[in-house]
Amino acid sequence: MTRFQIKFFEPEAVVFDTVSGDTHYLAQLPLELFRLIQTNPGMSADGTYAALATHMSLEIDPEFIQQTDEALASLRRIGLLDTP
């Protein structure tokens, strides 16, 4: 069984965690970050910033890094990513 079931409402999605039974709404940046990490586990922080910025056609600037770090922390807090 797949742990995460995702229903897309581009550019957002709802993610159902089959282990916890929790459902989570993800806005575009957290969703793209979640998808990136699911398909590239173990990617470095710099690699994650670069891949996410390229995919979303954004510049890597301090605001982007802060938003990405906040989204990453949120995904960990709600249980969609393992805490290192």
Side-chain angles (χ1 to χ4, degrees), residues 6-80:
I6 304 174
K7 175 71 175 172
F8 295 97
F9 302 97
E10 297 298 334
E12 297 104 8
V14 175
V15 178
F16 176 67
D17 184 343
T18 61
V19 172
S20 70
D22 293 333
T23 301
H24 304 281
Y25 162 79
L26 297 182
Q28 185 177 14
L29 187 128
L31 172 61
E32 296 304 334
L33 181 59
F34 176 73
R35 292 164 108 179
L36 177 66
I37 292 171
Q38 290 296 306
T39 58
N40 300 284
M43 183 181 282
S44 70
D46 287 340
T48 301
Y49 298 140
L52 187 61
T54 298
H55 178 72
M56 295 184 72
S57 300
L58 299 171
E59 295 291 321
I60 300 175
D61 60 17
E63 181 180 355
F64 173 80
I65 291 171
Q66 179 181 354
Q67 290 174 344
T68 302
D69 288 345
E70 288 172 359
L72 186 59
S74 177
L75 291 171
R76 285 189 176 122
R77 186 174 51 256
I78 62 175
L80 295 182

